Amino acid sequence: MNPTLWRRLLAEFAGTALLVAAVVGSGIMATTLSPNDVGLRLLENSIATALALGALILTFGPVSGAHFNPVVSAADWFLGRRAGTGLPARDLGGYVVAQVLGAIGGAILANLMFRLPAAELSTRQRTGGDLWLGEVVATAGLLLLVFALTRSGRAAIAPAAVGAYIGAAYWFTSSTSFANPAVTIGRAFTDTFAGIAPASVPGFVLAQLVGLAVGVGLLLALYPSVRDVAVAQNGDERMSDLGRNRTA
């Protein structure tokens, strides 16, 4: 299956839009249902996001790879550029544009579903070294997970694993794990629970780019190539067989 570029861009646009709609929409619903309990709101928001992300990866993955995230697309291009197995350089810009436009569209869609102004810039300030560090950790961990699964031949479990990671990272990172420049930009267009003030966006995006570098560096240290991972796994299997033979 080799979808044409426009189909892949459509998948990235629609998938990112629905992801942001899930993030923003569940935040609005959580605020409505739990107006006096911020912790419960975050729980409701994180569960909805994690489940939606897994479902969207299953839906759009066969078409575009279900990146929904410029740092994932950039890492895919960088890691596969020599072997020619990653995202082609000529398509990278299109993916990023589709993701950003999709994220903005998703925020607008969520606003409209809840009878709010279609686009209203957020006033929710999110800034500070602690939050930026949280974004570095969230982004690096996401990239390491995604490409470790790919390089070790376990990509089939990515929908569940990625959804679980993002759901958990809502809670263990100070920034509540945006981990995505496109989603960060999109969330600036809603003045709701999930929003981020436009002035806070550059700091988050810069931290996510640092997370991109850290995540790729860790991946190359731990999983230098698909071939090396396969050799290591075969070696482990031979050692296991040897151990079983000795105890037989």
Side-chain angles (χ1 to χ4, degrees):
M1 183 178 183
N2 184 25
T4 59
L5 179 58
W6 75 265
R7 288 178 59 208
R8 288 185 281 129
L9 295 181
L10 177 59
E12 286 298 303
F13 173 87
T16 310
L18 290 172
L19 173 60
V20 173
V23 173
V24 174
S26 63
I28 297 170
M29 180 64 80
T31 301
T32 302
L33 297 177
S34 309
N36 301 315
D37 192 332
V38 177
L40 184 55
R41 274 185 265 169
L42 186 62
L43 178 62
E44 293 160 347
N45 193 203
S46 63
I47 291 174
T49 300
L51 293 176
L53 181 55
L56 291 171
I57 293 172
L58 286 171
T59 302
F60 296 103
V63 181
S64 67
H67 295 179
F68 313 148
N69 189 334
V71 296
V72 173
S73 297
D76 190 32
W77 163 76
F78 179 80
L79 294 169
R81 70 194 190 287
R82 291 181 180 176
T85 57
L87 182 68
R90 65 181 181 276
D91 298 346
L92 177 58
Y95 265 53
V96 173
V97 170
Q99 291 156 359
V100 172
L101 293 178
I104 295 171
I108 292 172
L109 176 62
N111 288 336
L112 292 174
M113 285 194 294
F114 288 90
R115 295 186 178 181
L116 297 175
E120 186 174 20
L121 295 180
S122 176
T123 57
R124 193 179 183 89
Q125 298 291 331
R126 300 177 189 260
T127 186
D130 55 333
L131 300 186
W132 299 333
L133 178 59
E135 279 302 285
V136 172
V137 172
T139 307
L142 174 63
L143 291 173
L144 182 59
L145 170 64
V146 169
F147 291 99
L149 292 175
T150 300
R151 292 198 166 198
S152 59
R154 297 174 294 162
I157 66 172
V162 172
Y165 174 81
I166 292 298
Y170 259 76
W171 290 89
F172 73 74
T173 64
S174 56
S175 62
T176 64
S177 183
F178 284 49
N180 185 328
V183 167
T184 303
I185 293 171
R187 288 169 66 167
F189 287 81
T190 179
D191 194 19
T192 60
F193 180 72
I196 177 172
S200 300
V201 169
F204 265 55
V205 171
L206 181 59
Q208 291 155 2
L209 294 178
V210 174
L212 166 63
V214 172
V216 169
L218 285 172
L219 180 80
L220 292 176
L222 296 171
Y223 296 85
S225 70
V226 175
R227 173 184 169 278
D228 291 336
V229 171
V231 169
Q233 289 176 334
N234 290 336
D236 290 342
E237 290 174 358
R238 286 195 294 271
M239 290 299 293
S240 297
D241 290 341
L242 180 60
R244 284 194 293 268
N245 291 336
R246 285 179 176 176
T247 57

